[in-house]
Amino acid sequence: MVEEENIEEACRKAVEEDDGPKGVCYCFWGPIYWFKMLAVEMHWSFVFGVVSIYGINQGLGGALSRIGTEYYMKDVQRVQPSEAQVYSGITSIPWIIKPIWGLLTDVVPIMGYRRRPYFILSGMLGVVSMLFISLHSKLQLVFAILALTAGNLAGAVADVTVDACVAQNSISHPSRAADMQSLCTLSYSFGGLLGFSISGVFIHLIGPKGVFGLLTLPAALISLVGILLSEPQVSNFAYNEVNQKFHDAAKSMWTTLKGPDVWRPCLYMYISTTVSLNINEGLFYWYTDSKEGPSFSKEAVGYIFSMGAIGSFLGALLYQNVLKNRSLRDMLFWTQLLFGLAGMLDLMLVQRMNLRFGIPDYLFIVIGEAVSQMIYRLKWMPLLVLCSKLCPSGIEGTFFALLMSIGNLGDLSSSWGGGLLLHVLNVTRIKFEDLWLAILIRNILRVSPLCLLFLVPKGDPNAFMLSTKDEAETSEPDNIELAYLIHSVDDKF
């Protein structure tokens, strides 16, 4: 252990002593130097895992899956947009119960490893589920939903496992927490850009089910991450103490979660997500409608979403280079306000106001998608950094998954709420008369969380840090219980 710490310290000093590229050369060599720095400090297999899972599986694969699922529900299963919203929420349930998967990765090692086997098993599940839905010509809707849910389960397990690695490294390398979140977000955005750019072409050439067949490749890559990941092996693990470990981990999570510095931003995260009603299915059906809408082709739809990925990518770059040290409350105020205003571009599009100004539908929606996704990314980046710093040592994967599942629960509530709104306003496959009203209601609700900003801390999210072992030992008496629980969980591992 001492030798490993000395090696890590030597690597850190070596990186710090290297001033890196300067001036104009930074535009080319800067990203390479940045990747090299992260690989030296955190190990290359960690960087490979983040890029593979966030960039290729969730970014590239997620983009193909999203467009493929949209057309699969619309053209193959032929469901209504309000129904598609509900089914989308059902298939996302594995993401909501992420703490269960996080708890497994934290306290139940398989063959002496806490991360690697879960990567391998989740990759295998993803391959099987995507093959199942792609090889059946007339698959019933209920089985299609089950297959899509299984695919999301594979993605959720892989996601929570890599999140645990990120959270663990954020605690051991606190000065690199923002860099690691930027690596995750940039990988995801770049992969999404590529995926959306080619999704329409593949949908046109091989259809939605063919796209699901292609998704077996990103799923298989998850298993490869598990094979290559550098992870110390846990020896002589007492499986007969698993129940006690679950109890200790759950108690530690509850003790941490009920602290005001934790539950207040969590409550804000849930409410701000829930009230931003998701009516994307209604907009998608309108985009592709030949009578009421602009009747975009499959390729055009893919390119439109790729512009959103570009906006998300630019948002991550802007946060990393300019805004990562800004006050959290100020960031959320402006991004939440701008997020609501950006939604008005959808209203202008549906009302065809852009045509009155001579702006083509395609150009207008590309601008709107890029702006909305950039603001959305800027809204979530500081919250992600804050969440990574709230994780107590020893249950990083579980607690980070719990925090993320709160956001995912908000997404589910938003999706079902949006589906209910579309149903009430009678927005169907061919009727879009009141779609503008759904957009207006959504935009008004988007700015309502501004009155809840008192729930989040004022300062820089990078400066916040939950008490570690050494700090907890000398903390005030009201923190002694948390210190003991963290000690007990760590010592048992």
Side-chain angles (χ1 to χ4, degrees), residues 3 8 56 59 85 90 100 129 182 201 233 300 308 364 397 424 448:
E3 183 179 355
E8 182 179 347
I56 300 178
Q85 286 281 170
I90 293 174
I100 296 177
S129 60
S182 296
V201 176
Q233 189 173 16
F364 192 80
V424 170
S448 60

Side-chain angles (χ1 to χ4, degrees), residues 109-348:
I110 300 176
M111 299 180 66
Y113 295 99
R114 297 199 192 113
R115 316 299 182 199
R116 297 177 63 185
Y118 291 98
F119 282 130
I120 296 173
L121 293 175
S122 61
M124 294 172 60
L125 177 61
V127 170
V128 172
S129 60
M130 292 299 99
L131 284 177
F132 180 79
I133 196 173
S134 64
L135 296 179
H136 285 74
S137 58
K138 295 182 179 180
L139 189 62
Q140 294 184 2
L141 179 60
V142 62
F143 293 112
I145 293 175
L146 288 175
L148 291 172
T149 304
N152 277 326
L153 173 59
V157 173
D159 178 78
V160 75
T161 309
V162 77
D163 281 347
C165 299
V166 172
Q168 189 172 0
N169 281 321
S170 295
I171 292 173
S172 61
H173 301 80
S175 63
R176 298 302 181 192
D179 292 282
M180 282 182 275
Q181 289 299 332
S182 296
L183 175 65
C184 298
T185 303
L186 292 173
S187 300
Y188 177 82
S189 299
F190 186 78
L193 171 60
L194 179 60
F196 283 124
S197 299
I198 64 177
S199 60
V201 176
F202 279 109
I203 292 289
H204 179 76
L205 293 177
I206 60 179
K209 291 190 292 184
V211 168
F212 287 126
L214 286 178
L215 290 176
T216 57
L217 298 178
L221 187 62
I222 298 177
S223 296
L224 180 61
V225 171
I227 295 172
L228 298 178
L229 183 68
S230 175
E231 179 188 7
Q233 189 173 16
V234 179
S235 59
N236 300 322
F237 181 79
Y239 286 96
N240 58 345
E241 299 180 4
V242 167
N243 290 336
Q244 184 61 37
K245 291 179 184 292
F246 271 100
H247 179 267
D248 290 343
K251 190 175 181 181
S252 180
M253 281 196 301
W254 173 245
T255 302
T256 307
L257 186 60
K258 69 181 182 181
D261 288 336
V262 179
W263 71 259
R264 289 162 62 95
C266 288
L267 180 61
Y268 175 84
M269 185 164 55
Y270 173 75
I271 295 177
S272 65
T273 305
T274 299
V275 298
S276 300
L277 296 181
N278 182 352
I279 55 172
N280 290 338
E281 298 298 334
L283 289 170
F284 172 75
Y285 278 57
W286 182 80
Y287 291 160
T288 56
D289 188 76
S290 58
K291 295 181 180 180
E292 299 289 334
S295 187
F296 289 132
S297 65
K298 297 179 178 65
E299 292 85 353
V301 170
Y303 294 143
I304 288 170
F305 283 108
S306 70
M307 294 300 105
I310 291 178
S312 179
F313 187 78
L314 293 176
L317 286 177
L318 183 61
Y319 176 80
Q320 168 65 19
N321 294 288
V322 180
L323 301 173
K324 68 179 180 180
N325 295 320
R326 300 286 182 176
S327 166
L328 177 60
R329 192 174 294 183
D330 290 344
M331 280 285 297
L332 291 178
F333 174 82
W334 289 109
T335 53
Q336 197 74 49
L337 178 62
L338 292 174
F339 193 47
L341 295 177
M344 291 299 178
L345 296 175
D346 290 332
L347 182 62
M348 296 175 64

Side-chain angles (χ1 to χ4, degrees), residues 64-83:
L64 290 173
S65 177
R66 178 179 176 182
I67 302 299
T69 303
E70 298 271 15
Y71 278 102
Y72 181 78
M73 289 295 179
K74 178 177 180 289
D75 297 336
V76 179
Q77 298 293 344
R78 303 189 64 79
V79 300
Q80 297 293 344
S82 57
E83 296 174 338

Side-chain angles (χ1 to χ4, degrees), residues 406-482:
I406 293 173
N408 292 329
L409 181 60
D411 288 333
L412 175 64
S413 303
S414 174
S415 181
W416 285 357
L420 178 61
L421 180 62
L422 293 175
H423 178 74
V424 170
L425 297 178
N426 197 29
V427 176
T428 67
R429 295 172 56 88
I430 57 175
K431 296 179 63 177
F432 305 96
E433 289 84 359
D434 291 327
L435 180 59
W436 70 271
L437 183 57
I439 297 173
L440 181 61
I441 294 173
R442 180 203 65 181
N443 295 341
I444 294 174
L445 290 175
R446 276 184 176 180
V447 299
S448 60
L450 291 177
C451 62
L452 300 175
L453 285 175
F454 66 89
L455 293 172
V456 298
K458 294 181 180 179
D460 174 15
N462 292 288
F464 186 89
M465 178 61 68
L466 202 65
S467 296
T468 60
K469 285 184 176 183
D470 296 334
E471 294 169 342
E473 290 175 352
T474 59
S475 61
E476 296 297 325
D478 58 347
N479 289 331
I480 290 178
E481 183 181 7
L482 175 60

